[in-house]
Amino acid sequence: MATSFANPLLAAPIRSMPRSVAIIGAGTIGPDIGYYLKSALPDLKLYLVDISQPALDRALRRFGDYTAKAVAKGKMSEAEAAAVTGNVVGTVDYADIAGVDWVLEAATEDLALKRRIFAAVEAVVRPDALITSNTSSLPAAQIYAELRHPERATVTHFFAPAWRNPVVEVVRWEKGDPALVEYLRWVFCSTGKVPLVTDDVACFMLDRIFDNWCNESALLLDRATAAEIDSVAGEFVHAGPFFVLNLANGNPIITETNTLQADVEGEHYRPAPVFCSVERWLTVAPGKSVDVAADTARAVRERLLGVLFSQSVDILDREIGEPADLDFGCRQALGFRKGPLDLMRDLGDELSARVLDRFGTERRGMPMPGRPLAAYQRFLRHVLVDDLDGVKLITLRRPEAMNALHDEMTDEILSVIREFENDPQVTGFVIVGYGKRAFCAGADIGRFPRMLGDAPAAAQYARDCSRLLAHLDRMKKPVVAALNGMVLGGGFELAIRCHGIVALRHAWMQLPEITLGIVPGIGAMVVPYRRWPQAAGRFNGMLRRAERLDAAAARELGVVDALAEDYPGLVQAAIVRVRALAGKVVGIREDAIDIGPLEAVAPKAANGQVLSAEVIGLMESAIREAAAAPTLAAALEVGYRAFGESACTAAACEGITAFQEKRAPDFTRTA
């Protein structure tokens, strides 16, 4: 199952980005896939192909509706909207797509139909045109059995809504070219998706979870109603299985997919007969529930957990997919609150084993674990690790949060560094963000809201969050931050504790904490002044007014060591910097420093937002005191305490509350 690189953007693509794409099927998901592609690649020429002209007309109108909403919400300019809707052609004639680079089929889940489509496609397209199917269940080996050039074909399975859902499964199969899989991973990651590689089995990875979750729910109808089952399932998912089946008209789909699994893998996968006799389920909306008797709730809960755990261990034992991808896909594609492996970890090995044993008794034939349950937890959930000729590249992969740090990611970065920092074969480390949008968008607020008003607890929280940064301060092997996009708050504090920084030319940095009514507590009021005293004026503006610092300006100030034009160039520049720093790592200055006067500023951010004068005052006092501190440790302690003090202000309460409520804070009422 292993790919050449864990980070898809490290692979050298076998061809350039597609310039023209044809999507066959103008129903629901086909146009949505097209909208995603046009939004990411506005210059793309897109063909929508269907046998129905009215369907094509509706699909083209949908493009206009989507862009109009985006413009109205300020997420897209009029010019950007025109680029997305432009150069989109609807056609009923396959001859029109003869010159495209990529044909993506998104028709009905019907094997015979798909084979007819691909026979017609292969008759007109170039020999090197890519061919993929959006099937959710049919193996590539079946779909492409009659293709003359199967090596250029595979499955790319999107999830609804395809223009927004980040997940796409890319299927590796026997006759497909492995370089095609690597190319598609690169394309998808470059355009904002998260490609998950799966083996070529019925329903691949994620639909095995979803379909059997739904089928098991239907089999439970002998002991609970649909509304009761959805109410119990609400602990695990944002929308219950029966609500989702109503939404997607999914009863026939589950019948098809589980029949496919049953025919291949055994009768225990046979779909519940009730799917053939019911069109709509009487259930509850997400967030709603009905009362469920305790015994019934317990039985339903354990069966739902049982099918989740059973399918998960089967997927991993058969190497259908990777564990981190499984958990990520379940959360982001299927709407689970936590991935099944996280649920197993939370429940513990003993209780998880009990759930599986009961499930195995009730559902004879269903997969059971082939290893001790603890073995399924030995993986990194939020970082990817690649070895680039003796340099360990650590990729922060939390794209749903723009790679923001949280406790578990922090500990995973630290664990990788500790594993290899004493390895003589490892020269050093590079830290980079997943995708092309963000290096790291700060740190999740995590437990902090519970500490508002408690200065000692908030200060200790800052100390705890600094464990990775403090380790970097003590390291002898170099760690270089490769800034591949925006760098916010805690992400900037991580970057400045690395021993070198390289950046894409379009990258930028910001410390937005003041706009939340707090001060940055894990080094930003201390370290920049000690490492780059010549840039003190810029740091003053970043801290007190949330001013942005772009990469080019940071390079001129000496904060950034080198600029790169693209992701491969960025990684290469980071490796060069690691090698240059090998054996020459210099620690952060220890003694007191003179940062000059802090000129008075109005309590207003660079974007015009009114700020808290009280918190700016706390920040300025901390900056001065930290600069005068005789050691780095003493200076950092000043920052921790100041963070704790800021947590006790009315501004912090307003700022954090506004952030949680997704509104702009009003600091005028805290003055």
Side-chain angles (χ1 to χ4, degrees):
M1 275 296 300
T3 52
S4 58
F5 293 103
N7 183 332
L9 296 184
L10 299 182
I14 57 175
R15 59 182 77 197
S16 60
M17 278 287 175
R19 295 177 297 277
S20 57
V21 174
I23 295 178
I24 298 177
T28 300
I29 200 164
D32 280 5
I33 295 171
Y35 185 76
Y36 138 67
L37 286 168
K38 280 291 290 180
S39 299
L41 303 169
D43 294 333
L44 180 76
K45 183 160 188 178
L46 180 68
Y47 295 87
L48 296 177
V49 186
D50 203 282
I51 58 173
S52 166
Q53 187 61 48
L56 291 169
D57 294 339
R58 288 192 297 271
L60 293 172
R61 283 197 299 271
R62 195 189 308 176
F63 271 62
D65 292 343
Y66 283 167
T67 54
K69 289 178 182 177
V71 170
K73 293 180 178 179
K75 296 182 177 181
M76 188 180 286
S77 69
E78 293 282 1
E80 289 169 335
V84 171
T85 55
N87 226 5
V88 180
V89 178
T91 181
V92 295
D93 188 352
Y94 278 47
D96 290 341
I97 67 171
V100 299
D101 300 319
W102 178 9
V103 177
L104 198 161
E105 171 269 323
T108 306
E109 289 286 89
D110 182 303
L111 180 59
L113 172 63
K114 289 180 186 294
R115 286 179 173 177
R116 288 197 301 271
I117 287 172
F118 287 122
V121 165
E122 202 170 33
V124 298
V125 298
R126 304 191 318 260
D128 64 338
L130 304 184
I131 293 176
T132 70
S133 172
N134 182 58
T135 179
S136 62
S137 58
L138 297 170
Q142 292 185 21
I143 296 174
Y144 302 123
E146 299 171 1
L147 220 57
R148 294 196 305 274
H149 300 288
E151 69 283 350
R152 43 95 170 258
T154 192
V155 169
T156 50
H157 176 209
F158 293 79
F159 293 81
W163 60 272
R164 189 175 64 203
N165 195 307
V167 174
V168 56
E169 288 180 314
V170 181
V171 172
R172 173 171 295 158
W173 68 293
E174 184 181 10
K175 293 186 178 179
D177 183 355
L180 172 60
V181 172
E182 295 302 306
Y183 170 72
L184 289 168
R185 292 177 72 230
W186 173 79
V187 167
F188 288 132
C189 188
S190 296
T191 53
K193 293 287 186 185
V194 183
L196 309 180
V197 176
T198 82
D199 205 358
D200 189 35
V201 297
C203 301
F204 314 118
M205 177 171 66
L206 296 180
D207 262 44
R208 296 183 77 83
I209 296 288
F210 176 74
D211 297 342
N212 286 293
W213 166 262
C214 292
N215 194 47
E216 203 64 36
S217 299
L219 292 172
L220 280 166
L221 289 170
D222 62 348
R223 64 182 70 183
T225 67
E228 289 175 329
I229 292 167
D230 273 7
S231 297
V232 174
E235 177 186 350
F236 308 117
V237 289
H238 295 287
F242 292 106
F243 180 87
V244 175
L245 288 170
N246 282 345
L247 197 66
N249 190 28
N251 293 2
I253 297 172
I254 303 301
T255 298
E256 280 185 23
T257 56
N258 274 67
T259 297
L260 180 64
Q261 291 180 73
D263 289 346
V264 175
E265 299 179 27
E267 286 301 306
H268 46 281
Y269 283 111
R270 192 65 62 189
V274 70
F275 283 122
C276 296
S277 58
V278 174
E279 289 187 7
R280 302 283 298 176
W281 303 100
L282 296 176
T283 187
V284 291
K288 305 291 184 181
S289 63
V290 298
D291 291 334
V292 186
D295 288 348
T296 301
R298 189 180 310 111
V300 170
R301 184 180 188 273
E302 290 205 3
R303 275 279 288 275
L304 292 178
L305 285 174
V307 74
L308 274 182
F309 296 170
S310 169
Q311 289 304 302
S312 296
V313 297
D314 186 48
I315 286 165
L316 299 183
D317 285 343
R318 294 166 59 189
E319 298 185 331
I320 293 170
E322 295 293 330
D325 289 352
L326 172 62
D327 263 15
F328 179 88
C330 284
R331 293 193 314 270
Q332 297 302 315
L334 303 183
F336 280 83
R337 299 181 189 278
K338 287 186 175 183
L341 300 175
D342 279 352
L343 288 171
M344 287 177 68
R345 181 179 60 180
D346 291 349
L347 198 60
D349 289 355
E350 183 178 347
L351 289 179
S352 296
R354 197 175 304 164
V355 166
L356 278 163
D357 287 345
R358 178 172 174 176
F359 183 71
T361 299
E362 294 188 3
R363 295 282 280 116
R364 295 290 183 186
M366 276 295 195
M368 289 290 111
R371 294 173 278 168
L373 292 185
Y376 296 96
Q377 300 295 336
R378 295 172 190 150
F379 67 98
L380 296 170
R381 286 164 161 83
H382 307 292
V383 302
L384 309 174
V385 181
D386 286 290
D387 188 283
L388 303 178
D389 195 19
V391 174
K392 294 294 181 182
L393 185 131
I394 302 170
T395 302
L396 313 180
R397 191 182 80 159
R398 287 190 72 215
E400 72 279 17
M402 292 186 291
N403 305 323
L405 295 165
H406 60 5
D407 283 343
E408 192 165 41
M409 178 188 272
T410 295
D411 287 337
E412 287 188 352
I413 300 167
L414 191 52
S415 73
V416 174
I417 288 173
R418 283 176 168 157
E419 180 179 358
F420 295 108
E421 65 182 330
N422 295 316
D423 186 338
Q425 302 301 313
V426 175
T427 305
F429 304 84
V430 172
I431 301 176
V432 70
Y434 186 89
K436 294 189 172 181
R437 187 178 179 190
F439 169 74
C440 176
D444 282 356
I445 59 174
R447 293 172 280 127
F448 178 62
R450 300 198 297 273
M451 299 170 191
L452 291 171
D454 188 338
Q460 186 58 47
Y461 182 61
R463 293 185 194 96
D464 294 343
C465 290
S466 297
R467 57 194 180 278
L468 167 62
L469 310 185
H471 189 88
L472 295 177
D473 294 341
R474 298 189 295 268
M475 284 183 65
K476 300 303 180 185
K477 280 190 177 176
V479 181
V480 171
L483 310 184
N484 55 301
M486 70 172 74
V487 188
L488 303 180
F492 182 71
E493 291 178 296
L494 169 61
I496 62 175
R497 300 294 269 277
C498 293
H499 311 112
I501 302 175
V502 299
L504 286 177
R505 191 172 295 277
H506 71 261
W508 52 273
M509 295 144 264
Q510 187 183 34
L511 291 165
E513 285 86 349
I514 190 63
T515 67
L516 296 175
I518 58 175
V519 304
I522 56 174
M525 296 186 296
V526 177
V527 173
Y529 296 100
R530 290 178 177 243
R531 288 192 66 182
W532 305 284
Q534 71 277 11
R538 294 303 297 268
F539 300 136
N540 293 340
M542 291 180 72
L543 286 160
R544 297 183 298 166
R545 300 188 67 245
E547 293 175 356
R548 290 186 181 186
L549 176 64
D550 65 66
R555 176 72 181 93
E556 291 178 5
L557 292 168
V559 176
V560 166
D561 301 310
L563 297 176
E565 303 299 328
D566 54 28
Y567 202 101
L570 175 72
V571 172
Q572 186 56 42
I575 292 171
V576 168
R577 188 63 182 148
V578 165
R579 300 198 189 289
L581 288 170
K584 303 173 186 176
V585 170
V586 177
I588 299 167
R589 182 172 173 173
E590 283 283 345
D591 56 337
I593 56 172
D594 180 8
I595 62 170
L598 283 169
E599 296 181 1
V601 295
K604 187 173 286 189
N607 66 359
Q609 177 187 338
V610 174
L611 303 174
S612 166
E614 179 188 10
V615 177
I616 290 176
L618 278 175
M619 182 183 289
E620 290 174 341
S621 295
I623 291 170
R624 293 189 187 97
E625 185 181 351
T631 65
L632 174 62
L636 291 170
E637 187 60 32
V638 170
Y640 304 148
R641 291 198 305 269
F643 180 75
E645 290 176 43
S646 73
C648 296
T649 64
C653 184
E654 166 62 13
I656 297 301
T657 300
F659 179 81
Q660 292 176 309
E661 295 176 353
K662 299 181 180 180
R663 61 174 175 83
D666 181 3
F667 294 121
T668 60
R669 59 187 181 188
T670 67

